[in-house]
Amino acid sequence: MASSRLEINFIRLLSRCESIAAEKRGDTEWRLEKYVGALEEMLTALKKSTSKPVPEVMTDYSRKVDFLKGLLEAEKLTSPTEKALANQFLAPGRNPTTANERTSASKTVHLQTKARCTGEMRNELLGTVSPNAGRTEAEMRQRRGLPLDEKQSDAVLDAVLQHHHSLQEKLAEEMLSLARNLKNNTLATQNIIKQDNQTLTQSMRMADLNFEKLKTESERLEQHTKKSVNWFLWLMLIVVCFTFISMILFIRIFPKLR
């Protein structure tokens, strides 16, 4: 199936975004964010198009756009540890964007980003203080190229290790809290479903019981109706016979006058 003009433009812009993402960008780089916004609009239009690709290709396009969005969100984080953790949850595309690629460009970008975040974490651990701690005197000396003494290096290393340890504890507590909340929500949902099933079962039993009672009462009413009709017929028959016999006796007792 031939690609539409919209899909061709989408592939070109996607390939350009992956190329920019593979480069080392500065803080003033704005093109990638604008291009990704345009990619989202084109992807939405492509989904609504009558000549859209097969579902597998559309799924891969969505994965690549979501990967670029997640990459931008991860770069906005301040801590290298948070960046590395955010990059772990990114899912790049599986297939190459263009025919010239041997492997998916988004996978290459993902590997480069992970390596860059690992390098930043190593540099922070060995040479600088956590960004959240502010610009200390030791950090300023290092930027000027002045050597740090052993005590200052040990203090910096202890501060960085303590910062990472606190981040890991905080992350573990958050994950534990999320797991506990998920467990409580699951148990509450199970209890609600169980109560609903019990109520539904009881309602069905009551409906069956009412149906049986209604059936019994209908049969009794039918029998009573038939019985009333039979008594009425016998009564009418007796009245007719009595009237007939009375007229015969009347004629016999009172003969015709001459």
Side-chain angles (χ1 to χ4, degrees):
M1 181 178 179
S3 301
S4 62
R5 187 64 180 176
L6 178 61
E7 184 180 0
I8 294 174
N9 293 334
F10 175 82
I11 293 175
R12 289 178 179 175
L13 184 58
L14 179 60
S15 178
R16 180 57 179 166
C17 290
E18 291 174 344
S19 300
I20 296 176
E23 300 172 357
K24 187 175 182 181
R25 303 180 304 280
D27 296 335
T28 58
E29 179 61 47
W30 55 270
R31 294 177 300 170
L32 182 60
E33 187 171 359
K34 296 294 183 181
Y35 289 171
V36 171
L39 270 179
E40 289 187 80
E41 297 178 357
M42 295 178 68
L43 180 62
T44 303
L46 192 61
K47 290 179 180 179
K48 297 179 180 179
S49 176
T50 56
S51 58
K52 63 182 179 181
V54 294
E56 292 78 8
V57 177
M58 288 298 302
T59 301
D60 194 61
Y61 287 164
S62 300
R63 286 172 61 93
K64 292 180 179 180
V65 174
D66 292 339
F67 169 75
L68 292 173
K69 289 170 57 180
L71 188 65
L72 290 174
E73 294 295 331
E75 290 180 352
K76 294 179 181 179
L77 300 175
T78 56
S79 173
T81 305
E82 295 176 352
K83 290 182 180 180
L85 184 61
N87 276 280
Q88 291 293 332
F89 294 100
L90 296 179
R94 298 176 180 176
N95 302 321
T97 304
T98 60
N100 298 328
E101 299 177 359
R102 294 184 178 181
T103 59
S104 176
S106 59
K107 290 184 179 180
T108 304
V109 173
H110 192 208
L111 294 176
Q112 292 177 352
T113 306
K114 290 171 66 176
R116 190 181 304 125
C117 292
T118 304
E120 292 178 359
M121 289 177 60
R122 183 175 61 254
N123 293 334
E124 182 186 19
L125 182 63
L126 297 178
T128 61
V129 185
S130 173
N132 296 330
R135 295 183 179 180
T136 61
E137 183 179 358
E139 184 180 4
M140 297 301 296
R141 287 184 179 180
Q142 185 183 6
R143 291 184 178 180
R144 294 171 185 169
L146 298 178
L148 297 174
D149 55 16
E150 294 182 358
K151 293 183 179 180
Q152 290 175 331
S153 299
D154 293 340
V156 171
L157 184 60
D158 291 340
V160 172
L161 290 175
Q162 186 177 2
H163 173 67
H164 286 287
H165 184 65
S166 62
L167 285 179
Q168 291 178 357
E169 288 183 349
K170 183 178 179 181
L171 181 61
E173 290 178 356
E174 292 179 355
M175 293 179 65
L176 183 61
S177 177
L178 290 175
R180 189 181 297 110
N181 292 333
L182 180 61
K183 180 180 178 181
N184 293 334
N185 293 334
T186 303
L187 292 176
T189 304
Q190 289 179 355
N191 292 331
I192 293 174
I193 294 175
K194 187 181 297 182
Q195 292 177 0
D196 291 341
N197 289 334
Q198 291 178 356
T199 304
L200 181 60
T201 303
Q202 187 177 3
S203 299
M204 292 178 64
R205 290 178 180 175
M206 292 295 296
D208 294 338
L209 183 60
N210 292 332
F211 178 76
E212 293 295 333
K213 289 183 178 180
L214 181 61
K215 184 177 180 181
T216 303
E217 294 297 329
S218 298
E219 292 177 354
R220 290 180 59 186
L221 180 60
E222 185 178 359
Q223 292 177 0
H224 181 70
T225 304
K226 292 180 179 179
K227 186 176 180 181
S228 300
V229 172
N230 292 334
W231 278 107
F232 182 74
L233 290 176
W234 280 106
L235 182 61
M236 291 297 295
L237 183 60
I238 292 172
V239 171
V240 171
C241 293
F242 178 75
T243 306
F244 180 73
I245 296 173
S246 299
M247 290 186 65
I248 293 175
L249 291 176
F250 182 78
I251 294 172
R252 291 292 183 180
I253 296 173
F254 299 101
K256 183 177 180 184
L257 295 177
R258 292 181 181 177

